[in-house]
Amino acid sequence: MSLMNRDIKKIAIVRLSALGDIVNSAFVLQFIKKNYPNATITWIVEESFSSVLQDANYLDNIKTVNLKKFKKEKSFKLLKEEYRSLKKIADFDIVIDMQGLIKSALVSKILGTNRHGFDKNSTRESLASLFYNTTTAISYETNVIVRNAQLVSDALKIEITTKMIEKKEAIFQITKSFELSQKKNILLVIGASWASKCYPKEKFAQLCNELKEQCYIIWGSEKERQDAEWISQHSEYAKLAPKLSLNELISFISHMDLLIGNDTGPTHMAWAQNIASITLLGPTTERMIGKTPFNIGIKSPSSVNLLKINKNDFSIKEIEVKEIVDKAKELLNGI
C-alpha cells in the first residue's frame, strides 16, 4: 500500500527501547515536522523509557506499552491488554519501525497496514522484515544515526542529509535552570549497563585533576554514587551532581560545556542537545554515537564484532587519560 505525501496525516514511530537508542532516533522528529507540518506524530515506547520523550520537540503523542512486564510475568492476559490498547489507536497512515526487531515489527503490524522498516539484510532479526510493506536496505554496520535518517527518508520520501543532522535543533526542551561554576563545566558519565563499558574510577579522578575545570559526576545507582564520591574525594575538581530525574538530567546536560562518558544513554544526550562530548568506547564502537566535529569517540585497542558483542572486553581501561585530556582541551577551546 502506498500513499501520496499529502495523504499522510497520522504517523507512528515504533522505537520501544532502550534509552540511548531512543535518544539517537528522536532527531528525526524535526525533519518529519518540517515536511509534514500538519501531520500528528505518535511514538510507541516501553513505559519504562517514556519519560525521556515527554520533553521531545515536535512529538505530538506518546503511547506506552509494557512488553517487558509481559516477558517477565508471562501473562497472556497482559498481552491481550496490550493488543487491545494498541488496536484502539490503529488508524495510522504510516508506521515506521525504527527498532527492527520481531517484537517491534509485531507492534507495527497491529498499528497499521502501511508499514516501513529495515530489510532482511539490515537488521539482526531478519524475520522482522516480513511484517513490512516497504523496506530500507542499509548495512547493519553503518552508523546508527545514518541508518535512522535513511529509514525515515525512505519511508516518507524526504531528505535528511548529514549536513542537516549536524545543524539540527536540540532534540529536547530545557525545562530547568542550574547555577554552575564560572569555570568550564564538564559532566562525567561514569556508569553503564555493563561493567566492561565503564572507564575506571581511578582514571576519571586523574582526568579531573589534569583538566582542572569543574567536573560534575552524574549517578543513578548506589554503586555509581559510591564511585562518584570516591572520585570527588580524590580530586578537588570533581563534584557529585544532584540527584536528577531523567528530564532534569537533559536540562543539566544542556548547561554543560563538555560531556565525557561511557557508551550509555546519558552520554548520547549530549549529541542530542548539541553539547560537545567524548564517548569512551571499549567493547562497542562509534557506530552507536552521533558524530560531529564536537561529538567524538575514543576507542580502546580491541576489535569488535557488532553481531556478537563481547561483554568481557575490558579494554576500555587501556584508553590513556592524556588522550582524553588532549581531546577535551581541543573541544573546550573550540567552544
Side-chain angles (χ1 to χ4, degrees):
M1 177 182 176
S2 62
L3 293 172
M4 297 293 289
N5 285 8
R6 64 178 177 271
D7 295 326
I8 296 178
K9 301 296 184 184
K10 299 184 73 176
I11 300 168
I13 291 176
V14 180
R15 176 80 242 195
L16 305 174
S17 59
L19 179 60
D21 296 311
I22 293 167
V23 170
N24 284 340
S25 302
F27 73 93
V28 302
L29 294 169
Q30 59 193 271
F31 300 110
I32 296 173
K33 274 294 186 182
K34 180 180 179 181
N35 289 275
Y36 294 87
N38 298 318
T40 59
I41 307 172
T42 300
W43 195 300
I44 292 78
V45 64
E46 277 282 356
E47 186 177 336
S48 57
F49 295 107
S50 62
S51 62
V52 73
L53 290 167
Q54 289 175 0
D55 295 319
N57 294 308
Y58 304 107
L59 181 60
D60 299 296
N61 304 302
I62 300 170
K63 170 61 179 175
T64 63
V65 296
N66 207 336
L67 300 184
K68 287 189 174 183
K69 186 176 181 181
F70 159 72
K71 184 178 180 181
K72 181 180 178 181
E73 298 185 10
K74 294 181 172 57
S75 165
F76 284 96
K77 180 181 177 183
L78 286 175
L79 189 60
K80 281 184 179 180
E81 289 174 358
E82 293 295 344
Y83 174 82
R84 289 170 183 156
S85 179
L86 288 170
K87 201 66 179 172
K88 284 181 181 178
I89 62 168
D91 59 347
F92 294 98
D93 297 318
I94 187 168
V95 182
I96 306 173
D97 181 3
M98 298 189 72
Q99 190 143 3
L101 299 179
I102 293 171
K103 66 178 180 180
S104 59
L106 286 168
V107 168
S108 299
K109 183 173 175 58
I110 297 169
L111 292 171
T113 57
N114 186 29
R115 303 177 297 274
H116 187 92
F118 293 107
D119 81 353
K120 65 180 182 180
N121 298 315
S122 303
T123 184
R124 289 189 293 113
E125 296 185 5
S126 59
L127 289 177
S129 64
L130 298 175
F131 295 89
Y132 313 133
N133 308 97
T134 56
T135 57
T136 289
I138 186 169
S139 169
Y140 184 69
E141 288 75 22
T142 303
N143 180 273
V144 68
I145 306 299
V146 177
R147 278 170 55 84
N148 290 338
Q150 188 63 56
L151 183 76
V152 172
S153 295
D154 290 350
L156 296 172
K157 306 298 186 291
I158 62 177
E159 183 179 43
I160 308 177
T161 66
T162 300
K163 186 169 287 188
M164 291 165 66
I165 296 170
E166 286 187 1
K167 294 182 178 181
K168 73 183 188 312
E169 299 175 30
I171 295 172
F172 303 103
Q173 299 173 38
I174 301 172
T175 57
K176 185 173 181 177
S177 296
F178 295 89
E179 292 291 331
L180 300 175
S181 167
Q182 295 301 310
K183 292 185 174 185
K184 295 290 186 182
N185 292 290
I186 301 172
L187 188 63
L188 304 181
V189 181
I190 63 170
S193 54
W194 318 330
S196 58
K197 279 185 170 186
C198 295
Y199 197 56
K201 63 184 179 182
E202 295 82 4
K203 290 196 170 186
F204 268 120
Q206 183 184 347
L207 177 63
C208 296
N209 288 328
E210 294 193 21
L211 284 171
K212 294 182 170 57
E213 301 288 356
Q214 182 59 68
C215 297
Y216 296 92
I217 311 168
I218 63 164
W219 52 277
S221 67
E222 178 60 22
K223 170 69 164 59
E224 289 173 13
R225 187 187 67 78
Q226 291 175 5
D227 286 347
E229 287 185 342
W230 188 95
I231 294 168
S232 66
Q233 290 166 3
H234 289 78
S235 175
E236 63 178 293
Y237 302 100
K239 180 180 180 181
L240 270 70
K243 187 171 180 59
L244 301 164
S245 68
L246 199 51
N247 305 87
E248 290 171 336
L249 174 60
I250 292 170
S251 294
F252 195 66
I253 290 171
S254 302
H255 284 69
M256 294 293 124
D257 296 299
L258 174 66
L259 182 150
I260 303 172
N262 302 319
D263 180 9
T264 187
T267 302
H268 300 311
M269 287 177 184
W271 171 81
Q273 295 303 94
N274 298 327
I275 300 298
S277 65
I278 299 173
T279 305
L280 307 177
L281 303 158
T284 56
T285 71
E286 290 184 336
R287 174 188 177 274
M288 291 302 298
I289 69 173
K291 292 183 65 179
T292 74
F294 286 93
N295 301 102
I296 65 172
I298 297 179
K299 175 72 180 81
S300 70
S302 71
S303 60
V304 174
N305 179 352
L306 292 174
L307 297 177
K308 193 175 181 181
I309 298 293
N310 179 12
K311 294 185 179 182
N312 292 315
D313 172 8
F314 285 85
S315 62
I316 192 169
K317 63 185 179 183
E318 297 177 42
I319 298 174
E320 297 292 341
V321 171
K322 184 181 186 305
E323 183 178 4
I324 305 172
V325 170
D326 289 344
K327 292 293 184 181
K329 288 181 176 178
E330 286 178 19
L331 292 174
L332 290 169
N333 289 335
I335 296 173

